[in-house]
Amino acid sequence: MNPNKDGDGMERFYTRRGLAKPQTTTEPVEGGTVFGGTRVVVPNVVTAAPKVAEPLKPQAKQLCGLLVSYSMDGDGQYWPLYEGTNTIGSDTKSDVTLVESSVGPHHAELKIKQGDDGLEAVLSDFLTAGGTYVNGSRLSTQAVVCSDRDILQFGNRCQMLLVLIERAKYGLKTADEYESDARQHPEDESTSVGATVFDSTLQIGK
């Protein structure tokens, strides 16, 4: 057996696999594995950390309606509605948060999507004790299709007007070259011009 030839073969073995070749020594060292009286010390191999996929960025939802209420006081309040699922309840994570004793944490949901004849709004109640109403009729286990200007009620006191915004119907388009001038509003540069900032978490009076 030719030791040089065998050594060349091992050299190629480690080179092809991108591995560090083990070092042999007869000196007493910590660790390693003994082969025929010779201790073989394998160098530490640093491996790359696995790549972690970046989380997908949530897609922006299109504003397509409002819920308007005067149940709390005479000034009135409103909540924006977006395409997709809008959750309604007393839970602070709800899209429409109603802190009122007869409204459940996960009371109802309103799903809005673009249909062939315009916006479609489907309201579902989660079998709540306070109930959900459309134009005075209480929902059962079946979801109900709502229309623009319907009166919705959640629980015993939260009455709201449903307003659906048909962009195409009113010719509401996105400007080709819209430029916001923050210098006109130096007190709050983060607020878009003409936008209304409000707190969607409201205490509805008993």
Side-chain angles (χ1 to χ4, degrees):
M1 180 177 180
N2 189 339
N4 294 331
K5 183 177 180 181
D6 181 63
D8 292 341
M10 294 301 296
E11 185 74 27
R12 289 194 298 272
F13 172 84
Y14 288 103
T15 301
R16 290 175 180 176
R17 289 161 176 78
L19 302 175
K21 183 180 178 181
Q23 299 175 356
T24 60
T25 177
T26 57
E27 299 297 327
V29 295
E30 295 182 359
T33 306
V34 177
F35 293 97
T38 301
R39 186 179 300 276
V40 178
V41 180
V42 181
N44 293 331
V45 178
V46 179
T47 59
K51 294 183 179 180
V52 179
E54 295 182 359
L56 297 176
K57 295 182 179 180
Q59 296 182 348
K61 293 183 178 181
Q62 185 176 114
L63 177 69
C64 57
L66 297 169
L67 284 176
V68 182
S69 177
Y70 293 89
S71 296
M72 180 179 178
D73 54 46
D75 294 333
Q77 299 83 36
Y78 65 93
W79 294 259
L81 297 174
Y82 295 93
E83 187 176 13
T85 300
N86 299 268
T87 57
I88 302 166
S90 60
D91 189 289
T92 56
K93 294 182 180 179
S94 301
D95 298 315
V96 178
T97 303
L98 305 173
V99 184
E100 200 276 327
S101 59
S102 63
V103 176
H106 307 286
H107 195 97
E109 69 176 19
L110 184 63
K111 293 184 177 180
I112 304 177
K113 68 177 182 178
Q114 187 67 44
D116 296 335
D117 300 324
L119 290 175
E120 296 179 358
V122 179
L123 181 64
S124 301
D125 176 79
F126 294 144
L127 301 177
T128 55
T132 300
Y133 302 80
V134 177
N135 298 325
S137 299
R138 181 166 181 165
L139 271 65
S140 59
T141 56
Q142 300 294 326
V144 172
V145 177
C146 300
S147 301
D148 183 39
R149 303 301 193 272
D150 276 349
I151 300 298
L152 313 183
Q153 181 175 320
F154 305 98
N156 300 328
R157 304 173 185 88
C158 300
Q159 191 179 63
M160 300 182 168
L161 172 68
L162 172 63
V163 179
L164 297 177
I165 303 172
E166 299 279 1
R167 288 186 58 187
K169 178 180 178 180
Y170 298 105
L172 299 174
K173 300 179 180 180
T174 302
D176 294 333
E177 297 180 358
Y178 183 86
E179 295 183 3
S180 176
D181 189 355
R183 293 174 298 177
Q184 298 180 11
H185 300 267
E187 70 281 356
D188 186 6
E189 296 183 358
S190 63
T191 303
S192 299
V193 176
T196 300
V197 180
F198 63 96
D199 184 1
S200 61
T201 304
L202 298 175
Q203 302 279 345
I204 305 298
K206 295 182 178 180

